[in-house]
Amino acid sequence: VSKTRPPRITIRDVAREAGVSIATVSRVLQQHESVAAELRERVTAAVGALGFQPDAAAQMMRQTSSKTICCAVRNSSVAEFAAFAHAAERVLRNAGYIMYLSNTEAEPAQEIRLIQTLIGHRVDGLIMARADEESAEVEQHLRQFQGPVVYMDRSPSPRADAVVIDHRSAMRQAVSFLVMLGHRRIALLTGQPHMRPGRERIAGYEQACREAGIAVDPSLILTGTFEPDSAFRNASLLMSKSPRPTALISGGLSLLPGVLGALRAANIEMGRDVSVIAGCDTDLAQLASPPVTAIHWDVRAWGATAAELLLERIRNGDRDTGRQVNLPCELIVRSSCAAPNEAFAYR
Amino acid sequence: VSKTRPPRITIRDVAREAGVSIATVSRVLQQHESVAAELRERVTAAVGALGFQPDAAAQMMRQTSSKTICCAVRNSSVAEFAAFAHAAERVLRNAGYIMYLSNTEAEPAQEIRLIQTLIGHRVDGLIMARADEESAEVEQHLRQFQGPVVYMDRSPSPRADAVVIDHRSAMRQAVSFLVMLGHRRIALLTGQPHMRPGRERIAGYEQACREAGIAVDPSLILTGTFEPDSAFRNASLLMSKSPRPTALISGGLSLLPGVLGALRAANIEMGRDVSVIAGCDTDLAQLASPPVTAIHWDVRAWGATAAELLLERIRNGDRDTGRQVNLPCELIVRSSCAAPNEAFAYR
């Protein structure tokens, strides 16, 4: 402690200045209900007059934490988000918090309404997958939010806390595996490149192509929303090309049903006619016929880690540096991939 | 209005009795913060002495609604529960509420802790799938909960509000369809009979057997938890019987992955060797090979209806009669069912 620093103002000083008991000051700082308005005003005035340390006040205020956290995703019924929310809720519940679940429907306007609601409810922290990493308006509202924010697979800035998935290395593994089987025309279905999940997958795909000496063909990278319908349309489009790609990577959480539906509708047999890699490892990937080679990561660790990181931020408050946890992925090889079927591709 | 009824006590009477302004009574009833403890006590005493109508008080209290609802399920990552929660959250959000999501892990003790937390947070209402309909302890805690409760596919009492699924008629449809194909040894995997989902499915199954003149064989009804692991074990057990059942109904929300896993592990081909009906209509049911005949109901309507029923209860407060909405089911026929393969069954 520096010697030039003025003596620290304590709650005792505030009580003396306001002419009330220490207990009353404490009750006011904790926003306790049973304090008359007049006393509340005297205490507030004394806090202001003495310059009572905001940190100490904040610490006392923190005792009136609402003990609530919000988890906001675009669609909480997507299996991976549901598993994320379940794992996060368990960690938060065990720490004495209850968790709001909110669907943003991938709309920044919905996120803004939510943030306003959370401020009104004095929510302690927020775990979210932003609909648009670049929205300045959402960023501005988030700055007014009182608690820490942890992002799910987003990196709006290097100072943001996030638990992200290593899609880049996953895509490199997926493409390298297909190249090893002999594929050269490999299609990628994924999200828009202005958002982390699409951006990182495309970067990993392009990097692996370059490493294999394959010129990147932009017509083989189809981006859209992360909805099965979008995947159905894009997979159908790819399968109507001539020549067709010999392999297809379903680079998203909820794209596989659309991809498998499109193949079935066109009477194309996965594995025999075209190789398929799933972007995440669902029941469907495991139990489809043939079972689908898939990118696997620990979805429960994703949710649990995000909740733990948020709790740590709430406890320690240090927000000077962002902390990003990068979850590793592995490729689980199943029988949906084979050597390229060029005869089918040119038919 | 009856003439013998005493004159209605108003907020004006309470104010006069307590010797305070009407505004103060209103602030106390709305639990406003800026009222001194002493005034609060005088108002509370006057409310009690005059017998101020609880309804009116409740109505005023309602203005301090926390605008929060809780949805509590055993495991929010089960696809149907996730879709339910998503649909409910959308309805609640549009009505200005935010929704807590809580996992009870199918443990009554967890439910009790949750109810206590919800009381502390002044949560306005609760949508829940109770882990044990017969738990008197949970019932007792629920009576202390301030808001209405709507059950998800539970019917702990005829006075309870609930949105239930017509499993009984669904099972009758499923068994009748299999009987029509020639099956006589039809197995049912489902939950325990002391809970509505298992109980109703077993009742429908038995009724359809009787209608078809088939003696119910208790060894073909295997109950367990609604987890894929339980289904894997029970399906494996059934497939090791001699003779085997020729058809199998997967009577639960998350049993199909376990059933398909067990068939695959035993190298049994669905459709050819044994017929399978799925208890709900998932991506997996639709995209498995062959696609699985499934019981379908509108899962989004399930969640939306529960939320709407709860909002209606919050608005109107009338809890004298329970309202049960029974969601209809249909059987979607796909190629997982064929005539019984008796040769395989006796092999």
Side-chain angles (χ1 to χ4, degrees):
Chain A
V1 179
S2 158
K3 283 200 169 176
T4 60
R5 205 168 160 179
R8 191 179 171 82
I9 305 295
T10 68
I11 189 169
R12 194 178 298 273
D13 303 319
V14 175
R16 196 180 305 122
E17 170 82 11
V20 300
S21 69
I22 290 175
T24 299
V25 176
S26 168
R27 279 210 301 279
V28 171
L29 291 175
Q30 289 177 51
Q31 307 210 337
H32 203 281
E33 290 187 0
S34 63
V35 183
E38 189 258 328
L39 291 186
R40 187 183 303 275
E41 276 158 29
R42 265 157 62 191
V43 170
T44 309
V47 165
L50 294 174
F52 184 55
Q53 290 288 334
D55 267 8
Q59 203 170 2
M60 304 215 60
M61 291 289 285
R62 217 172 288 137
Q63 294 169 16
T64 63
S65 148
S66 64
K67 286 286 186 182
T68 61
I69 299 291
C70 179
C71 174
V73 296
R74 65 174 159 86
N75 177 345
S76 64
S77 65
V78 169
E80 272 61 34
F81 292 144
F84 178 102
H86 184 190
E89 194 275 332
R90 183 179 295 181
V91 168
L92 296 171
R93 173 160 33 90
N94 289 337
Y97 287 80
I98 58 179
M99 187 184 88
Y100 290 111
L101 179 72
S102 192
N103 288 282
T104 65
E105 322 281 1
E107 288 174 14
Q110 192 59 57
E111 293 180 341
I112 289 170
R113 273 195 294 279
L114 173 67
I115 295 163
Q116 290 169 333
T117 304
L118 300 182
I119 291 170
H121 279 76
R122 306 176 127 258
V123 167
D124 297 309
L126 174 58
I127 300 171
M128 83 185 299
R130 275 173 64 171
D132 179 358
E133 284 176 313
E134 293 167 355
S135 164
E137 216 185 338
V138 170
E139 189 62 43
Q140 192 183 336
H141 279 82
L142 278 170
R143 270 196 294 269
Q144 285 159 36
F145 178 68
Q146 60 270 29
V149 178
V150 169
Y151 292 98
M152 301 165 59
D153 204 20
R154 297 287 184 276
S155 48
S157 96
R159 293 187 57 181
D161 290 326
V163 182
V164 299
I165 298 153
D166 195 353
H167 298 302
R168 189 184 290 241
S169 111
M171 283 300 121
R172 287 179 64 196
Q173 288 178 62
V175 171
S176 302
F177 174 69
L178 291 167
V179 166
M180 202 180 70
L181 292 174
H183 294 269
R184 308 281 295 177
R185 288 195 316 286
I186 300 165
L188 171 64
L189 300 189
T190 193
Q192 304 289 342
H194 71 279
M195 294 286 284
R196 189 185 188 282
R199 182 170 66 238
E200 289 293 304
R201 286 191 180 100
I202 293 170
Y205 168 92
E206 291 181 343
Q207 194 176 337
C209 285
R210 279 194 302 273
E211 285 163 359
I214 298 172
V216 170
D217 175 355
S219 78
L220 292 180
I221 304 177
L222 269 67
T223 61
T225 69
F226 280 121
E227 300 294 334
D229 289 356
S230 167
F232 185 96
R233 280 192 303 274
N234 282 337
S236 300
L237 207 64
L238 284 167
M239 289 302 120
S240 66
K241 277 172 77 86
S242 182
R244 297 182 181 94
T246 57
L248 196 162
I249 302 173
S250 167
L253 298 184
S254 40
L255 301 184
L256 188 65
V259 169
L260 298 193
L263 296 184
R264 177 168 288 177
N267 208 18
I268 294 170
E269 199 174 301
M270 173 167 58
R272 187 194 63 185
D273 301 332
V274 64
S275 292
V276 173
I277 294 182
C280 64
D281 195 18
T282 55
D283 280 346
L284 179 60
Q286 289 162 36
L287 291 162
S289 293
V292 187
T293 295
I295 289 157
H296 178 94
W297 72 89
D298 188 340
V299 182
R300 309 212 134 261
W302 187 27
T305 305
E308 282 156 6
L309 181 49
L310 189 71
L311 290 174
E312 195 190 302
R313 284 304 191 202
I314 289 173
R315 275 192 296 267
N316 302 332
D318 174 19
R319 300 191 66 187
D320 281 347
T321 53
R323 187 169 150 209
Q324 299 214 345
V325 179
N326 199 0
L327 284 186
C329 296
E330 56 187 347
L331 188 71
I332 301 198
V333 174
R334 303 196 180 100
S335 39
S336 64
C337 297
N341 183 340
E342 292 290 354
F344 175 79
Y346 279 91
R347 194 163 63 200
Chain B
V1 180
S2 158
K3 283 198 170 178
T4 59
R5 205 166 161 183
R8 189 179 174 82
I9 305 296
T10 67
I11 189 169
R12 194 178 298 273
D13 303 318
V14 176
R16 197 181 303 123
E17 170 83 10
V20 301
S21 69
I22 290 176
T24 300
V25 176
S26 168
R27 279 210 302 280
V28 171
L29 291 174
Q30 290 178 50
Q31 309 210 336
H32 202 283
E33 290 187 1
S34 62
V35 183
E38 190 258 329
L39 291 186
R40 188 183 302 276
E41 277 158 29
R42 265 156 62 190
V43 171
T44 309
V47 166
L50 293 175
F52 183 55
Q53 290 289 332
D55 268 9
Q59 203 170 4
M60 305 216 58
M61 291 288 286
R62 217 172 287 138
Q63 295 170 15
T64 62
S65 148
S66 64
K67 286 286 187 182
T68 60
I69 300 291
C70 180
C71 174
V73 295
R74 66 175 158 87
N75 176 345
S76 63
S77 65
V78 169
E80 271 62 34
F81 292 144
F84 177 102
H86 184 189
E89 195 273 335
R90 184 179 294 182
V91 169
L92 297 171
R93 172 159 35 88
N94 288 337
Y97 287 79
I98 57 179
M99 187 185 88
Y100 290 111
L101 179 71
S102 192
N103 289 283
T104 63
E105 322 281 1
E107 286 173 16
Q110 191 60 57
E111 293 180 340
I112 289 169
R113 272 196 294 278
L114 173 67
I115 295 163
Q116 290 168 333
T117 304
L118 300 182
I119 291 170
H121 279 76
R122 307 176 127 258
V123 167
D124 297 309
L126 173 58
I127 299 172
M128 83 185 299
R130 276 173 62 172
D132 179 357
E133 284 176 312
E134 293 167 356
S135 164
E137 217 185 336
V138 169
E139 190 62 44
Q140 193 184 337
H141 279 82
L142 277 171
R143 271 197 294 268
Q144 286 158 36
F145 179 68
Q146 59 272 29
V149 178
V150 169
Y151 292 98
M152 300 164 60
D153 205 19
R154 297 288 184 274
S155 48
S157 97
R159 292 187 56 181
D161 290 326
V163 182
V164 299
I165 297 154
D166 195 353
H167 297 301
R168 187 185 290 240
S169 111
M171 282 300 121
R172 286 179 64 196
Q173 288 178 62
V175 171
S176 301
F177 173 69
L178 292 167
V179 166
M180 203 179 69
L181 292 174
H183 293 270
R184 309 281 296 176
R185 289 194 315 286
I186 300 165
L188 172 64
L189 301 188
T190 193
Q192 304 290 343
H194 72 278
M195 294 286 284
R196 189 184 187 284
R199 183 170 66 238
E200 289 293 305
R201 286 191 181 100
I202 293 170
Y205 167 92
E206 292 181 341
Q207 194 175 338
C209 285
R210 278 194 303 273
E211 285 163 359
I214 298 172
V216 171
D217 175 354
S219 78
L220 292 181
I221 304 177
L222 270 68
T223 61
T225 69
F226 281 120
E227 300 294 334
D229 289 356
S230 166
F232 185 96
R233 281 192 303 274
N234 282 337
S236 300
L237 207 64
L238 284 168
M239 289 301 120
S240 67
K241 277 174 78 87
S242 182
R244 298 182 181 92
T246 56
L248 197 161
I249 301 172
S250 168
L253 298 184
S254 39
L255 301 184
L256 188 65
V259 169
L260 297 192
L263 296 184
R264 176 169 288 177
N267 207 18
I268 294 171
E269 199 174 302
M270 173 167 57
R272 187 194 64 185
D273 300 333
V274 64
S275 292
V276 173
I277 293 182
C280 65
D281 195 19
T282 55
D283 279 347
L284 180 60
Q286 289 162 36
L287 292 162
S289 291
V292 188
T293 295
I295 290 157
H296 178 92
W297 72 89
D298 188 340
V299 183
R300 308 212 133 260
W302 187 28
T305 306
E308 282 158 7
L309 180 50
L310 190 71
L311 290 174
E312 195 190 301
R313 286 303 191 202
I314 289 173
R315 276 193 295 267
N316 301 333
D318 175 19
R319 299 190 67 186
D320 280 348
T321 54
R323 188 170 149 207
Q324 299 215 345
V325 180
N326 199 0
L327 284 187
C329 296
E330 56 187 348
L331 188 71
I332 300 196
V333 175
R334 302 196 181 98
S335 38
S336 64
C337 297
N341 184 340
E342 291 291 356
F344 175 79
Y346 279 90
R347 193 163 64 201

